[in-house]
Amino acid sequence: MTAVTIPGLDHAPTNHPRLLSWVREVAELTCPDEVVWADGSQDEWNRLTAKLVDAGTFVPLKKKPNSFWAASDPTDVARVEERTFICSVDPQDAGPTNNWMDPAEMKAIMTELYRGCMRGRTMYVIPFCMGPLDAEKPMLGVEITDSEYVVVSMHIMTRMGTKALNRFGDDADFVQALHSIGAPLEPGQDDVPWPCNETKYITQFPEERMIWSFGSGYGGNALLGKKCYSLRIASVMARDEGWLAEHMLILKLTSPEQKAYYIAAAFPSACGKTNLAMLEPTIPGWKVETLGDDIAWMRFGEDGRLYAVNPENGFFGVAPGTDYHTNPNAMRTIAKGNSLFTNVALTDDGDVWWEGMGEPPAHLTSWKKQDWTPDSDELSSHPNSRYCTPIDQCDIKAPEWDDPNGVPISAIFFGGRRATTIPLITESRDWQHGVFMGATLSSETTAAAVGKTGVVRRDPMAMLPFIGYHAGDYFQHWIDTGKSADADKLPKIFYVNWFRRGEDKRFLWPGFGENSRVLKWAVERLEGKAAAVETPIGHVPTAGELDLDGLDAPREDVEAALRFDADEWRAEIPMIEEWFAKIGEKVPTSLRDELEALKLRLG
Ligand SMILES: Nc1nc2c(ncn2[C@@H]2O[C@H](COP(=O)(O)OP(=O)(O)OP(=O)(O)O)[C@@H](O)[C@H]2O)c(=O)[nH]1
Ligand SMILES: O=C([O-])CC(=O)C(=O)O
Ligand SMILES: [Mn+2]
């Protein structure tokens, strides 16, 4: 049999045999017009962004240097959890919270979808590294994609191209990540600005550390280094190797006494990670610096503490609601340019606008590419519209954000979006109780995933859509992680809720920069300086124990935000029981004990 000739296929910048044979195999299956190895250069960025402008996918922004506006197909706007699969060999390993299909069956289906799917397009091979390039064991991957939008997004979100490929040598392990938008072009057929396919699959093969994605070009469906690798696949690696891959921001908080603490926080998608990561404290003398806004990989260091690394290289942040009042640091970061904006509105003078950014201009082009005025019935920007911007440009990035050793975590926050029940902050009694808080975390669904929004669901550790294996085993892994360490070296675990509402539905707590007051209390608890009330659900501060100096909010509201309400918690118990029943036998005994103890305390 003679090898197929596809331009570029034989011009690989590597001798890595497994990589070369996989690239050939994919090219022969998908039949692209040409194969291009992404090098991550400025020249490549210029070439591809120009191509995207020609294709009508990008509009260059006049008001932000080297930045582009894109509008996706209206059917391709968020992660598709219904179409996301964990194809473990044994269905038990996917557990009750994941969609599962037999790997052989899934491969047969997707192989047919991939057959010829890149006709008329270029196949890009993107070597990338999640986390610092100079890590002792760099976490490598290769994404093959037929989307230029994905290539340029990966330029921002990952360390990629030649500098990543240099770490492959001839035999490094890497995660295979295959992506196609699933929109081949027949000769003479015109392209559309956002090609995609009605049929979508986002598939993880955990044993093979492999990802196959088809049909979507958006966000976590398509940028496979993010949720697919750094959470779904990495959580399986972490289980096997004794570390944690979590949906957490990482921030550095420095007190007026110049004591620095690193805090990691897990909130579900669109529940405030990016905002907390870049917070501008409203209390004098306190400083926040950012290390990451979405994902933390945590491993024990030689000193027995848990060290966190952010595997990403950029921010993929929710645009609506972001402005100079809520998140000035994000605004300053994107103002420097070199950024992509997807599904926000375009102003007539070539800038971006979205809901929450002050007074709307008299006329906009909406994310649906329609004329928009302040009288329009529809939103100008999709609720899951995003900016994509390099961390390196963030003025408040912590200097150590790229340190391969990571930073030692002192506190972990779990948080959700709950209109009732959950106090502004609760400190766990110990690690096991904190794991119980995480395992029973709940939140209202948001626009970050396709589906109904505002529905309360359990979202354990904010990882419901991202745990790559059985959720019960995942809880056990958290328990075991605690057991493997000295209790006094473990981070303290807190449960927070910025989203409690009053009877008139307004938020009781002003949030954003004011959350620094909550961070301060948590740090003072670490230092043994602040008091708390012991309640059946954990240690909760009274309003008097928070620093409320200069806070522009009624005292009653703060008290209501902090309130432990036994009746609301009794109503919560059946939901937790239902959740544990869903997880089944694998709920760790220690977490069942926590539930029974909570019930007793609630009476
Ligand atoms: N009321 C209130 N809203 C907040 C607060 N922090 C964030 N938000 C809003 O919550 C939404 C999502 O915030 P993000 O910080 O982007 O959420 P995220 O967790 O990073 O989301 P993903 O990137 O999807 O993982 C935005 O509309 C914010 O304006 C807060 O403290 N209070
Ligand atoms: O993965 C995405 O598409 C965006 C994101 O950060 C999330 O949904 O948590
Ligand atoms: Mn975010």
Side-chain angles (χ1 to χ4, degrees):
M1 213 175 79
T2 51
V4 180
T5 35
I6 299 171
L9 185 55
D10 295 320
H11 303 291
T14 176
N15 295 314
H16 192 297
R18 186 165 82 92
L19 175 51
L20 287 175
S21 66
W22 176 58
V23 167
R24 171 166 290 280
E25 189 190 313
V26 172
E28 289 178 357
L29 174 65
T30 59
C31 309
D33 280 0
E34 96 184 286
V35 174
V36 170
W37 287 70
D39 60 14
S41 63
Q42 185 63 43
D43 184 54
E44 177 174 88
W45 168 277
N46 295 345
R47 208 170 52 244
L48 293 185
T49 54
K51 189 167 174 181
L52 285 158
V53 171
D54 273 351
T57 313
F58 275 178
V59 173
L61 294 178
K62 295 194 190 89
K63 297 284 180 176
K64 288 188 167 57
N66 192 29
S67 297
F68 301 88
W69 175 84
S72 78
D73 185 287
T75 64
D76 192 22
V77 293
R79 285 183 296 98
V80 283
E81 295 181 5
E82 285 301 305
R83 307 298 304 160
T84 301
F85 292 81
I86 299 296
C87 292
S88 48
V89 172
D90 181 348
Q92 270 292 317
D93 288 336
T97 59
N98 286 308
N99 300 312
W100 178 86
M101 200 189 288
D102 177 73
E105 199 180 319
M106 180 61 88
K107 282 180 193 168
I109 292 171
M110 292 190 74
T111 298
E112 286 322 302
L113 291 171
Y114 284 135
R115 197 177 298 286
C117 74
M118 296 190 189
R119 265 196 317 268
R121 299 195 183 277
T122 301
M123 175 177 127
Y124 298 91
V125 183
I126 313 169
F128 65 92
C129 178
M130 300 312 293
L133 281 163
D134 52 352
E136 201 178 314
K137 187 178 165 282
M139 299 289 278
L140 303 171
V142 176
E143 177 160 352
I144 293 183
T145 182
D146 50 7
S147 160
E148 284 84 15
Y149 173 89
V150 166
V151 182
V152 294
S153 299
M154 290 289 280
H155 267 239
I156 296 174
M157 295 304 297
T158 65
R159 292 114 170 137
M160 51 75 73
T162 306
K163 60 181 183 281
L165 191 60
N166 285 342
R167 300 273 359 227
F168 276 65
D170 286 341
D171 60 357
D173 278 341
F174 67 96
V175 168
Q176 291 183 353
L178 173 54
H179 171 252
S180 174
I181 50 179
L185 287 170
E186 301 311 327
Q189 185 185 343
D190 283 339
D191 205 354
V192 293
W194 189 276
C196 60
N197 196 304
E198 234 174 273
T199 301
K200 293 178 174 55
Y201 283 96
I202 316 298
T203 304
Q204 284 69 209
F205 300 95
E207 286 91 355
E208 292 171 80
R209 315 288 198 234
M210 184 168 87
I211 303 154
W212 284 11
S213 167
F214 182 88
S216 167
Y218 199 77
N221 297 331
L223 312 179
L224 303 185
K226 197 173 177 54
K227 303 301 208 270
C228 299
Y229 181 155
S230 295
L231 291 177
R232 297 197 190 96
I233 294 294
S235 64
V236 176
M237 296 175 168
R239 173 200 62 189
D240 295 348
E241 299 166 9
W243 49 283
L244 295 167
E246 299 298 328
H247 192 201
M248 293 179 179
L249 67 94
I250 310 166
L251 67 80
K252 178 182 184 182
L253 178 68
T254 307
S255 71
E257 296 81 40
Q258 301 306 311
K259 283 199 74 175
Y261 296 91
Y262 298 98
I263 298 177
F267 310 149
S269 298
C271 292
K273 287 183 302 300
T274 301
N275 277 273
L276 189 67
M278 298 188 196
L279 166 149
E280 210 159 67
T282 51
I283 43 178
W286 291 75
K287 184 161 106 179
V288 165
E289 290 159 281
T290 307
L291 292 102
D293 81 324
D294 198 44
I295 300 175
W297 285 348
M298 298 188 284
R299 296 179 172 85
F300 285 106
E302 275 166 23
D303 61 358
R305 296 188 67 189
L306 207 47
Y307 283 73
V309 161
N310 170 18
E312 300 193 276
N313 191 55
F315 303 121
F316 186 65
V318 176
T322 308
D323 78 346
Y324 278 98
H325 298 285
T326 57
N327 194 343
N329 289 307
M331 296 300 286
R332 288 180 202 121
T333 309
I334 59 183
K336 292 184 189 168
N338 312 311
S339 302
L340 310 176
F341 299 87
T342 310
N343 289 343
V344 304
L346 180 65
T347 68
D348 295 350
D349 62 352
D351 204 348
V352 286
W353 193 87
W354 48 71
E355 277 70 27
M357 209 198 262
E359 283 301 301
H363 178 263
L364 292 166
T365 304
S366 76
W367 75 278
K368 289 186 177 168
K369 298 187 177 172
Q370 288 160 359
D371 288 320
W372 188 94
T373 67
D375 297 330
S376 296
D377 298 330
E378 295 193 356
L379 296 171
S380 74
S381 306
H382 188 278
N384 191 40
S385 54
R386 301 268 172 168
Y387 56 82
C388 179
T389 195
I391 295 185
D392 196 45
Q393 277 178 202
C394 180
D395 291 336
I396 62 151
K397 67 174 186 290
E400 59 275 43
W401 81 273
D402 193 30
D403 185 337
N405 296 319
V407 293
I409 298 296
S410 295
I412 290 176
F413 284 22
F414 292 121
R417 181 184 284 268
R418 285 293 303 269
T420 67
T421 318
I422 313 298
L424 181 60
I425 184 162
T426 310
E427 182 194 331
S428 64
R429 258 179 237 92
D430 53 27
W431 182 265
Q432 178 176 300
H433 180 228
V435 174
F436 175 77
M437 287 173 160
T440 57
L441 185 74
S442 55
S443 196
E444 295 154 18
T445 51
T446 66
V450 172
K452 196 167 154 35
T453 60
V455 182
V456 174
R457 68 174 186 184
R458 297 297 122 182
D459 192 340
M461 283 80 173
M463 282 283 283
L464 181 68
F466 310 121
I467 304 169
Y469 58 103
H470 195 296
D473 290 335
Y474 171 75
F475 298 161
Q476 188 64 53
H477 181 58
W478 265 87
I479 295 286
D480 294 344
T481 300
K483 289 201 180 121
S484 71
D486 289 344
D488 62 338
K489 289 187 177 158
L490 285 169
K492 255 191 195 299
I493 299 178
F494 297 84
Y495 192 170
V496 298
N497 178 22
W498 313 142
F499 300 95
R500 205 166 182 182
R501 291 176 192 260
E503 263 151 30
D504 53 0
K505 300 288 170 230
R506 78 188 183 290
F507 290 118
L508 289 167
W509 177 252
F512 302 104
E514 305 294 7
N515 292 334
S516 55
R517 300 171 190 276
V518 179
L519 295 178
K520 176 181 173 185
W521 180 80
V523 158
E524 288 175 348
R525 289 294 291 173
L526 300 177
E527 294 177 339
K529 290 206 291 217
V533 179
E534 178 155 11
T535 76
I537 57 166
H539 304 283
V540 181
T542 61
E545 280 140 12
L546 290 186
D547 178 350
L548 300 179
D549 256 13
L551 179 72
D552 184 17
R555 179 92 172 186
E556 309 84 76
D557 280 10
V558 178
E559 282 165 1
L562 284 166
R563 198 161 53 93
F564 157 70
D565 184 311
D567 286 336
E568 285 182 345
W569 272 92
R570 284 188 206 106
E572 194 77 5
I573 297 295
M575 293 189 261
I576 297 176
E577 286 176 331
E578 192 186 323
W579 167 238
F580 277 7
K582 178 172 176 178
I583 305 302
E585 282 167 15
K586 289 197 179 210
V587 173
T589 317
S590 50
L591 296 188
R592 290 188 195 283
D593 294 347
E594 286 291 337
L595 176 57
E596 289 314 308
L598 173 61
K599 279 158 70 177
L600 273 178
R601 291 194 300 266
L602 287 171

